[in-house]
Amino acid sequence: MNLKRALVGSARPALWAPLLTLLLGILPATNAQTSPGTTPSATPQERRVRSGAPLSATEQATLQTLVSRVRPATVRVEQCRATQCDDPNGLGSGVLISEDGLILTAYHVIQGAPDLSVQLLNKTRYPAEVIGYNDQDDLALLRVNVPRGTPFLPLAAARPAVGDVALAVGNGNGAFLTPKTGRLLGLDSDAGRADFPPGTLEMNAPLIPGDSGGPVVNTKGEVTGIVSYIRLTQSGQPRSYAVPVTTTDARVAAMKRGEKRDAPVIGIGLSGPFSDLFFLPSAGFQELTKLLNLGDTPGAFFTSVSRGSPAAQAGLKPLILNGDSKRVSGDIVTAVNGKRIVNFAEFQYAVRAFQPGDTVTLSVLRDGKPLEVKVTLVGRSKLSN
């Protein structure tokens, strides 16, 4: 949840009412509500409880005693030069995990930043270097030349359990290294979106944009997770998700070796009034086509194509509407390498099954006529910002 990069799309007034009706009546039931920097749904896969018991006085006291140990090891991650940081382009959190200045954070906090700096508890800023990252799992490893003796936190020796209490520290809404507490509600949760990390820890700590990249700490003062994304339930209750990490984590070891692992992308997006239609089922497509003239065959449509991307080079056409909110142009993708897809989410998952450099064949409907389009995937960091 890069605080400054959180975006909110707006719908045309004439289009919003029928789209809202579609969302309420056709889309699969979800207990989530979209919010800047959040995912519209999350489907925990195993070992989950619906709600956690309130923290006891003893548990609260235990976590409070940890704050003085955790805050000095937590940092504010800023997209700016250390010497010129009055108005950073992005803001998140991170945690020192070694005495030689290694910092774990979320990849989306530092993605695309030409310059990075971190700020310690004493408000001193240091330039940061990206050592490695894992786009698919939303993790990044930085190095900062901090003074000898700067506090750090060890990674957890083992994974946590459902019901464990947790302390998170971050820079939500621009605040500075603020502690928040909660309880783990689930392990191995999945956002249901290919562009969010799978297998996350779910908790009820009230995290917000800007807390991304910060540590989730157990009662031993060990880092059990790195905050990645949040959502709100229909009742407005926060649900926060963190990528689990341990001392034996192969991803962390790979980043220490300098691995920079991109997720494969084509370079398309779904935004504005359509940003909640990632999971549009076939029946929903049939209803939507009555509004927008999308055609009779369900598939994935998209509203943007990144400049210089594989999609742009292949000539893929985004959805364009006229003043009456009817489709003027826009491709409908119905399969990837022969694998049938019916919505944008399935399109993303199909692409993520490959690697940067792979060439895939898209089955496309353009103005009702079928065609095959070959696209060579690139790493997401290679796309123009």
Side-chain angles (χ1 to χ4, degrees):
M1 294 159 286
N2 183 315
L3 181 59
K4 200 159 185 177
R5 288 191 172 188
L7 302 177
V8 180
S10 59
R12 301 182 187 190
L15 184 58
W16 176 248
L19 268 182
L20 182 60
T21 300
L22 179 73
L23 286 168
L24 294 176
I26 298 295
L27 287 180
T30 173
N31 60 347
Q33 169 185 334
T34 55
S35 180
T38 67
T39 175
S41 67
T43 307
Q45 298 301 309
E46 64 176 64
R47 290 173 290 177
R48 182 187 184 279
V49 294
R50 183 173 297 275
S51 61
L55 299 186
S56 68
T58 300
E59 289 172 328
Q60 291 176 358
T62 298
L63 294 181
Q64 286 303 314
T65 61
L66 284 173
V67 172
S68 60
R69 290 173 51 194
V70 175
R71 287 190 77 222
T74 308
V75 301
R76 181 183 177 106
V77 180
E78 300 167 313
Q79 292 191 8
C80 59
R81 294 182 181 179
T83 56
Q84 299 176 340
C85 207
D86 292 335
D87 185 23
N89 291 325
L91 170 67
S93 309
V95 59
L96 283 154
I97 61 168
S98 69
E99 60 184 356
D100 60 346
L102 290 179
I103 292 173
L104 263 182
T105 186
Y107 174 64
H108 77 267
V109 167
I110 60 100
Q111 181 187 359
D115 297 291
L116 288 168
S117 66
V118 302
Q119 194 173 12
L120 303 188
L121 181 60
N122 62 9
K123 300 296 183 75
T124 305
R125 283 194 179 92
Y126 298 90
E129 173 191 5
V130 179
I131 299 299
Y133 61 78
N134 185 318
D135 184 0
Q136 189 82 346
D137 289 296
D138 198 23
L139 290 172
L141 187 68
L142 313 179
R143 186 183 295 280
V144 176
N145 187 22
V146 294
R148 183 182 297 274
T150 299
F152 67 93
L153 298 178
L155 299 185
R159 293 195 68 184
V162 170
D164 284 357
V165 296
L167 169 68
V169 174
N171 301 285
N173 257 4
F176 188 68
L177 302 182
T178 302
K180 297 172 184 177
T181 59
R183 193 180 296 279
L184 293 183
L185 304 180
L187 310 179
D188 303 305
S189 298
D190 194 320
R193 279 178 52 166
D195 55 344
F196 283 80
T200 54
L201 307 177
E202 179 181 1
M203 54 193 169
N204 58 6
L207 305 184
I208 52 180
D211 286 324
S212 275
V216 177
V217 180
N218 62 22
T219 55
K220 297 178 181 179
E222 300 172 329
V223 178
T224 62
I226 298 297
V227 176
S228 180
Y229 61 96
I230 64 172
R231 68 182 178 93
L232 299 177
T233 66
Q234 287 181 335
S235 61
Q237 296 300 308
R239 290 293 182 267
S240 308
Y241 297 82
V243 179
V245 290
T246 64
T247 54
T248 59
D249 197 306
R251 300 165 302 183
V252 176
M255 290 189 296
K256 287 181 178 179
R257 296 193 300 267
E259 182 176 276
K260 296 179 178 179
R261 188 172 187 177
D262 273 336
V265 294
I266 287 178
I268 59 171
L270 189 65
S271 59
F274 304 101
S275 59
D276 287 335
L277 302 183
F278 271 69
F279 312 95
L280 190 69
S282 296
F285 186 95
Q286 299 294 351
E287 291 299 315
L288 189 62
T289 198
K290 296 176 184 177
L291 299 173
L292 307 180
N293 295 334
L294 297 177
D296 297 328
T297 304
F301 60 90
F302 43 95
T303 58
S304 64
V305 172
S306 299
R307 184 179 69 253
S309 68
Q313 294 172 11
L316 292 179
K317 300 182 180 298
L319 179 66
I320 297 177
L321 305 179
N322 63 19
D324 296 323
S325 296
K326 300 297 182 182
R327 183 176 70 146
V328 174
S329 65
D331 291 338
I332 306 295
V333 181
T334 60
V336 178
N337 273 14
K339 179 179 175 62
R340 182 75 171 95
I341 60 171
V342 300
N343 56 39
F344 192 87
E346 291 185 1
F347 191 11
Q348 281 192 313
Y349 275 111
V351 168
R352 290 288 179 107
F354 298 91
Q355 298 294 326
D358 289 346
T359 297
V360 298
T361 300
L362 308 182
S363 300
V364 176
L365 290 174
R366 180 172 295 166
D367 299 325
K369 299 178 181 179
L371 66 152
E372 302 290 302
V373 178
K374 289 188 178 298
V375 179
T376 300
L377 308 180
V378 299
R380 187 158 63 150
S381 68
K382 302 299 189 293
L383 292 185
S384 301
N385 292 324

Coordinates of all heavy atoms in Angstrom, one line a residue, residues 38 55-56 61 108 117 121 131 137 159 170 222 231 236 242-243 249-250 268 270 320 331 340 344 346:
T38 N -6.3 -1.3 -1.6 CA -6.8 -2.5 -1.1 C -7.2 -3.5 -2.2 O -7.3 -3.0 -3.4 CB -8.1 -2.4 -0.2 OG1 -9.1 -1.9 -1.0 CG2 -7.8 -1.4 0.9
L55 N -8.1 -9.1 22.3 CA -6.8 -9.3 23.1 C -7.1 -9.1 24.5 O -7.8 -8.2 25.0 CB -5.8 -8.3 22.6 CG -5.3 -8.3 21.2 CD1 -4.1 -7.4 20.9 CD2 -5.0 -9.7 20.7
S56 N -6.6 -10.0 25.3 CA -6.7 -9.9 26.8 C -5.8 -8.8 27.3 O -4.9 -8.3 26.6 CB -6.4 -11.2 27.5 OG -5.0 -11.5 27.3
A61 N -0.6 -6.1 27.2 CA 0.6 -5.7 27.9 C 1.9 -6.2 27.3 O 2.9 -5.6 27.2 CB 0.5 -6.0 29.4
H108 N 6.0 -3.7 -3.7 CA 5.2 -2.6 -4.3 C 5.5 -1.2 -3.7 O 5.2 -0.2 -4.3 CB 3.7 -2.9 -4.3 CG 3.0 -2.7 -2.9 ND1 2.9 -3.7 -2.0 CD2 2.5 -1.6 -2.4 CE1 2.3 -3.2 -1.0 NE2 2.0 -1.9 -1.1
S117 N 15.2 6.1 0.0 CA 15.9 6.4 1.2 C 15.0 5.8 2.3 O 13.8 5.5 2.2 CB 16.0 7.9 1.4 OG 14.8 8.6 1.6
L121 N 14.2 5.7 13.5 CA 13.5 6.3 14.6 C 14.0 7.7 15.0 O 13.2 8.5 15.3 CB 13.5 5.3 15.8 CG 12.7 5.8 17.0 CD1 11.2 6.0 16.7 CD2 12.9 4.8 18.1
I131 N 18.8 -4.7 -3.2 CA 19.6 -5.9 -3.3 C 18.9 -7.0 -4.1 O 19.5 -7.6 -5.0 CB 20.0 -6.5 -1.9 CG1 20.8 -5.4 -1.1 CG2 20.8 -7.7 -2.1 CD1 22.1 -5.0 -1.8
D137 N 5.7 -12.4 -4.9 CA 5.4 -12.6 -3.5 C 5.5 -11.2 -2.8 O 5.4 -11.2 -1.5 CB 6.3 -13.6 -2.8 CG 6.0 -15.0 -3.3 OD1 4.9 -15.5 -2.9 OD2 6.8 -15.6 -3.9
R159 N 6.7 -20.8 11.6 CA 5.5 -20.1 11.2 C 4.5 -20.0 12.4 O 4.5 -20.8 13.3 CB 4.8 -20.8 10.1 CG 5.5 -20.8 8.7 CD 4.6 -21.2 7.6 NE 3.6 -20.2 7.3 CZ 2.7 -20.3 6.4 NH1 2.6 -21.5 5.7 NH2 1.8 -19.4 6.2
G170 N 4.2 0.6 11.4 CA 4.3 1.2 10.1 C 4.0 2.7 10.1 O 3.9 3.3 11.1
E222 N 10.1 -11.6 17.0 CA 10.6 -12.1 15.7 C 9.6 -11.6 14.6 O 8.4 -11.5 14.8 CB 10.6 -13.6 15.7 CG 11.5 -14.3 16.8 CD 11.3 -15.8 16.8 OE1 10.2 -16.3 16.6 OE2 12.3 -16.5 17.1
R231 N -8.0 -5.0 3.2 CA -9.3 -4.9 2.7 C -10.2 -4.5 3.8 O -9.9 -4.6 5.0 CB -9.8 -6.2 2.0 CG -10.0 -7.4 2.9 CD -10.4 -8.6 2.1 NE -10.6 -9.8 3.0 CZ -11.7 -10.1 3.6 NH1 -12.8 -9.4 3.3 NH2 -11.8 -11.2 4.3
G236 N -17.2 -2.9 7.5 CA -16.1 -1.9 7.7 C -15.0 -2.3 8.6 O -14.1 -1.5 8.9
A242 N -0.2 -10.2 5.3 CA 1.2 -10.1 5.4 C 1.8 -11.4 4.7 O 1.3 -12.5 4.9 CB 1.7 -9.9 6.8
V243 N 2.9 -11.2 4.0 CA 3.7 -12.3 3.4 C 4.5 -12.9 4.5 O 5.3 -12.3 5.2 CB 4.6 -11.8 2.3 CG1 5.4 -13.0 1.7 CG2 3.8 -11.1 1.2
D249 N 13.5 -19.1 5.0 CA 12.7 -18.7 3.8 C 13.6 -18.7 2.5 O 14.6 -17.9 2.5 CB 12.1 -17.3 4.0 CG 11.0 -17.0 3.0 OD1 11.2 -17.1 1.8 OD2 9.9 -16.7 3.5
A250 N 13.3 -19.5 1.5 CA 14.1 -19.6 0.3 C 14.0 -18.3 -0.5 O 15.0 -17.9 -1.2 CB 13.7 -20.7 -0.6
I268 N -1.6 -4.6 -19.6 CA -2.9 -4.1 -19.7 C -3.5 -3.9 -18.3 O -2.9 -4.3 -17.3 CB -3.9 -5.2 -20.4 CG1 -3.8 -6.5 -19.7 CG2 -3.5 -5.4 -21.9 CD1 -4.9 -7.5 -20.1
L270 N -7.3 -2.8 -15.9 CA -8.7 -2.7 -15.8 C -9.0 -1.7 -14.6 O -8.7 -2.0 -13.5 CB -9.4 -4.0 -15.5 CG -10.9 -4.1 -15.5 CD1 -11.4 -3.9 -16.9 CD2 -11.4 -5.5 -15.0
I320 N -13.0 1.3 -25.4 CA -13.3 2.7 -25.5 C -14.8 2.9 -25.7 O -15.4 2.2 -26.5 CB -12.5 3.3 -26.8 CG1 -11.0 3.2 -26.5 CG2 -13.0 4.8 -27.0 CD1 -10.2 3.7 -27.7
D331 N -10.8 -5.0 -27.6 CA -10.6 -6.5 -27.8 C -11.2 -7.3 -26.6 O -11.2 -6.8 -25.5 CB -9.2 -6.8 -28.0 CG -8.6 -6.3 -29.3 OD1 -9.3 -6.0 -30.2 OD2 -7.3 -6.1 -29.3
R340 N -9.2 -21.6 -22.0 CA -10.3 -20.7 -22.0 C -10.4 -19.8 -20.8 O -10.1 -20.2 -19.7 CB -11.6 -21.5 -22.1 CG -12.9 -20.7 -22.1 CD -13.1 -20.1 -23.5 NE -14.5 -19.5 -23.7 CZ -14.7 -18.2 -23.5 NH1 -13.7 -17.4 -23.2 NH2 -16.0 -17.8 -23.6
F344 N -11.1 -10.9 -16.5 CA -9.8 -10.3 -16.4 C -8.9 -11.1 -15.4 O -7.7 -11.3 -15.6 CB -9.9 -8.8 -16.0 CG -8.6 -8.1 -16.1 CD1 -8.3 -7.4 -17.2 CD2 -7.8 -7.9 -15.0 CE1 -7.1 -6.7 -17.3 CE2 -6.6 -7.2 -15.1 CZ -6.3 -6.6 -16.3
E346 N -9.0 -14.3 -14.6 CA -8.6 -15.5 -15.3 C -7.5 -15.2 -16.3 O -6.5 -16.0 -16.4 CB -9.7 -16.3 -15.9 CG -10.7 -16.9 -14.9 CD -11.8 -17.7 -15.6 OE1 -11.7 -17.8 -16.9 OE2 -12.7 -18.2 -14.9

